Amino acid sequence: MLCWSIWRTQNDLIFKKSSPTIDKVVSFAKLTLDQWISAQHSPYNFSLNNHTVREKDEQWTKSSLNMIEINVDGDIFSQSNIYGFRCIARDHEGDFIEAFQSSKPSVVNPEFAEAVGIKEALSWIKSHGWSNVMVETNCVNVVHAIKSKVRMYSPNPRIKTHFIKIV
């Protein structure tokens, strides 16, 4: 949560010209942790796009032994015409391994930012030679698109590639 808070504060400094303080960073990290803990104990059960999300889907659980979990999150900064993403790798106990973030100049929708983050995470995994890896995202539209047979073309007409179904 502290890394997330530092990342967010850095973005606020760059894009919103805010003046961060250590107290703000720590307070935001504590608030985010409290919200995360609360979400893990909430009995959410709702339906979205004909897909039922079960309570266990909303709670972080330890992965299989020797499994690396990669969490991906994309963001758009429409005022600055920038989108970005960040990835964090954790071991099966949830301990931090490594993280990275990147941003690119372009106006895209949130799903595209998330999908690019997943693509970059796959390249990151390959460059490290990691195996037995699970990639996680909280963008249900991208998950549905990956699970479907729909081709997701790039919004950039010069890029002729498309995202393919991952099996």
Side-chain angles (χ1 to χ4, degrees):
M1 296 305 164
L2 188 56
C3 289
W4 163 247
S5 182
I6 291 169
W7 182 84
R8 178 146 180 204
T9 303
Q10 173 190 344
N11 283 341
D12 287 346
L13 175 66
I14 293 168
F15 300 115
K16 296 180 182 175
K17 308 294 185 219
S18 68
S19 52
T21 65
I22 292 174
D23 291 333
K24 268 188 187 176
V25 173
V26 173
S27 294
F28 182 76
K30 286 180 181 179
L31 176 65
T32 305
L33 179 61
D34 288 343
Q35 291 172 343
W36 183 84
I37 290 170
S38 175
Q40 300 310 303
H41 296 92
S42 296
Y44 293 116
N45 194 357
F46 59 92
S47 178
L48 181 62
N49 295 336
N50 298 323
H51 172 75
T52 302
V53 178
R54 297 176 309 270
E55 181 180 335
K56 71 178 188 73
D57 292 336
E58 293 295 313
Q59 295 183 356
W60 184 87
T61 56
K62 288 183 181 182
S63 60
S64 303
L65 191 60
N66 298 322
M67 170 85 64
I68 296 173
E69 288 188 20
I70 308 288
N71 292 95
V72 178
D73 195 19
D75 283 311
I76 55 171
F77 307 98
S78 51
Q79 299 91 347
S80 305
N81 295 331
I82 293 173
Y83 74 97
F85 49 87
R86 59 194 167 280
C87 302
I88 182 168
R90 292 188 206 121
D91 67 13
H92 66 279
E93 291 290 328
D95 292 330
F96 176 81
I97 298 173
E98 189 175 324
F100 81 94
Q101 67 180 22
S102 183
S103 61
K104 300 178 184 282
S106 190
V107 177
V108 300
N109 64 32
E111 290 84 1
F112 184 80
E114 193 86 11
V116 170
I118 292 169
K119 178 221 164 260
E120 293 297 325
L122 295 173
S123 296
W124 186 44
I125 292 164
K126 183 179 179 182
S127 73
H128 280 72
W130 290 335
S131 59
N132 202 20
V133 179
M134 177 176 21
V135 177
E136 297 180 336
T137 176
N138 62 355
C139 186
V140 71
N141 291 337
V142 173
V143 171
H144 285 195
I146 289 171
K147 289 182 175 183
S148 76
K149 295 179 181 176
V150 174
R151 291 181 180 206
M152 295 171 47
Y153 290 93
S154 169
N156 184 338
R158 294 178 303 191
I159 299 174
K160 302 295 183 199
T161 59
H162 61 270
F163 293 96
I164 58 172
K165 183 177 178 186
I166 299 173
V167 181

